[in-house]
Amino acid sequence: MPFAVYVVGLGIFTQGTSEFMLSGLLPGMADDLGVSVPDAGLLISAFAIGMVVGAPLLAVATLRWPRRTALVALQAAFVVAHAVGALAPGYAVLFVTRVIGALAYAGYWGVAVATAVALVPAEAKARAVAVVAGGLTLATIVGVPAGTLLGQVSDWRAAFWAVAAATAVSAVCTLLAVPGGRGGRGEGEQPSVKDELRAMARPQLWLSYAVTAFAFGAVIVTFSYLAALLTEVTGVSEGWVPAVLALFGVGGMAGIVIGGRTGQTRPLGTLGAGLGALAVFSALLALTAHVTAAVIALVFLLGLVGYVTNPALQSRVFALAPGAPTLVGATNTAAFNVGNTVAPLLGGLTIDAGYGYASVAWVGAALAAVGAAGVLWAAGLQRADRKRADRERADRERAEEGTCACGFCICVPKRLPLGHGQTPRVR
């Protein structure tokens, strides 16, 4: 695996820490900003909204840029947004900086995945995507607990400063390690928005985007309120919350490793199994939220099955639309964040309705079940496509042999003209 792929994953790690660390900072942020925990949770949705908008928009805006230039510029914008956010005097300013930071991060995601898959051969694309996505999982193992601990020792603003500093370091690494060209495009090959849009006009691709949204929403809705669930329902002391969040990340890293191996050869099987298990484990968490041992075990399992689908979700869209390497990945990033936007909002609504923090796990179970149904639909479409392709191939072979599908016509071999001494073959 090229070293540049790992450097791109480092950029995802530093920025992804900001995406998820609010789950461990929400209680302190709510107190400091004078808002409720569900309102503070909307900062997660604000970040996701920025990513939904930013991923395709910035993918198009930077399509003709050298990929290294695009990556570094987007990281620089992310650093500035977090510096301003750390200095924010109130909720409104922080909300805006979350959206702006997310715009930059979304653009980085789209360019990062396109860069990684362009740097490796076809058989290694799922592994390359797994490395990049592994940066996000590492963020949940190391970055989120570290941010939570820093927030407890100091305050949430210190965590924002730490993310800004780490992203600045990763930008320097990107500048030194990532090739200066467009990551696999030929010198004379000019990317075209029109060509990429044309390549994306396939129903299966958009069904895959829908599955992505439901799959990630099913994970993030529980994770977003996990710190509050642990302290308010399960009874875990605040000091142990970073360790439990890290356990979720350990499960996620294991899932990424497994999914990186199975996602290339059996993408739909990996997705179906992962989403089915995610629905079951989410429901179990809702039912056993007061049992500490069960919750801790289920947090690990939720991380595992939640992230085992990630490499398949990321790499499958490139297989469905190989002619749109930049826009297809960026749109998939947007799909992830549709789930990241809607799911915490739904979780906040159930909490505000009086169903308690455990209710968010039921929301996760329902989203996972819908995602699994989408995988079954995609499998049916894939079987139909294969049958149609097999029929077309058989028709071509019969045409080359001079026969037809019905088997009764008088057909003339197509490879030779009918000449003297040659008679039609009768079937």
Side-chain angles (χ1 to χ4, degrees):
M1 193 65 61
F3 180 67
V5 175
Y6 293 97
V7 171
V8 169
L10 173 64
I12 296 296
F13 162 71
T14 61
Q15 295 170 83
T17 295
S18 177
E19 181 178 7
F20 291 114
M21 72 180 180
L22 263 64
S23 64
L25 300 175
L26 283 184
M29 293 182 74
D31 290 340
D32 183 47
L33 298 170
V35 298
S36 67
V37 170
D39 284 344
L42 291 178
L43 292 169
I44 298 173
S45 294
F47 197 90
I49 290 169
M51 292 198 69
V52 170
V53 175
L57 182 65
L58 287 170
V60 170
T62 62
L63 189 60
R64 292 179 179 272
W65 293 17
R67 284 181 174 152
R68 182 177 65 187
T69 301
L71 292 171
V72 173
L74 292 165
Q75 285 174 299
F78 185 88
V79 170
V80 172
H82 277 66
V84 175
L87 298 170
Y91 182 85
V93 174
L94 181 59
F95 192 97
V96 172
T97 63
R98 292 297 289 171
V99 174
I100 294 173
L103 287 169
Y105 178 42
Y108 185 91
W109 249 116
V111 179
V113 175
T115 300
V117 298
L119 289 172
V120 298
E123 63 274 10
K125 291 188 186 299
R127 291 198 301 275
V129 170
V131 170
V132 175
L136 190 59
T137 308
L138 188 63
T140 64
I141 298 175
V142 178
V144 173
T148 303
L149 185 61
L150 188 57
Q152 292 173 352
V153 172
S154 180
D155 60 15
W156 63 268
R157 297 175 191 272
F160 273 59
W161 281 117
V163 165
T167 303
V169 171
S170 75
V172 174
C173 295
T174 301
L175 192 61
L176 296 175
V178 174
R182 291 189 171 90
R185 297 190 185 112
E187 289 297 323
E189 188 177 346
Q190 292 297 322
S192 165
V193 175
K194 186 176 180 180
D195 290 343
E196 293 220 1
L197 287 172
R198 187 182 301 115
M200 291 179 66
R202 186 176 179 187
Q204 275 247 43
L205 177 64
W206 294 93
L207 177 57
S208 182
Y209 289 147
V211 171
T212 295
F214 281 107
F216 196 65
V219 179
I220 198 64
V221 67
T222 302
F223 186 78
S224 295
Y225 296 98
L226 187 56
L229 185 148
L230 290 170
T231 56
E232 299 296 329
V233 180
T234 309
V236 174
S237 66
E238 190 176 275
W240 281 101
V241 170
V244 179
L245 294 178
L247 186 63
F248 178 91
V250 171
M253 184 60 76
I256 285 284
V257 172
I258 295 170
R261 295 178 180 276
T262 62
Q264 186 76 40
T265 55
R266 299 187 60 196
L268 292 179
T270 300
L271 291 174
L275 285 168
L278 181 58
V280 171
F281 292 146
S282 296
L284 287 175
L285 179 64
L287 293 170
T288 62
H290 293 85
V291 183
T292 302
V295 168
I296 291 174
L298 286 168
V299 165
F300 171 81
L301 292 173
L302 283 173
L304 191 152
V305 299
Y307 279 89
V308 76
T309 62
N310 197 289
L313 291 170
Q314 293 278 14
S315 61
R316 187 167 182 265
V317 294
F318 289 93
L320 291 171
T326 301
L327 196 53
V328 73
T331 307
N332 203 40
T333 299
F336 271 101
N337 286 280
V338 168
N340 200 7
T341 303
V342 176
L345 180 61
L346 293 175
L349 290 175
T350 62
I351 295 169
D352 286 339
Y355 294 106
Y357 289 109
S359 65
V360 298
W362 284 118
V363 176
L367 293 174
V370 175
V375 173
L376 292 175
W377 187 6
L381 292 175
Q382 187 177 82
R383 285 192 296 270
D385 286 346
R386 286 176 178 172
K387 289 180 180 179
R388 183 165 52 252
D390 288 343
R391 286 196 301 269
E392 291 174 355
R393 184 171 58 253
D395 289 344
R396 286 195 300 271
E397 290 173 354
R398 280 190 288 265
E400 289 175 358
E401 293 173 359
T403 63
C404 69
C406 69
F408 296 103
C409 297
I410 299 175
C411 302
V412 178
K414 297 183 181 299
R415 285 176 290 186
L416 293 173
L418 186 62
H420 181 70
Q422 186 177 352
T423 58
R425 289 165 48 186
V426 179
R427 296 285 294 179

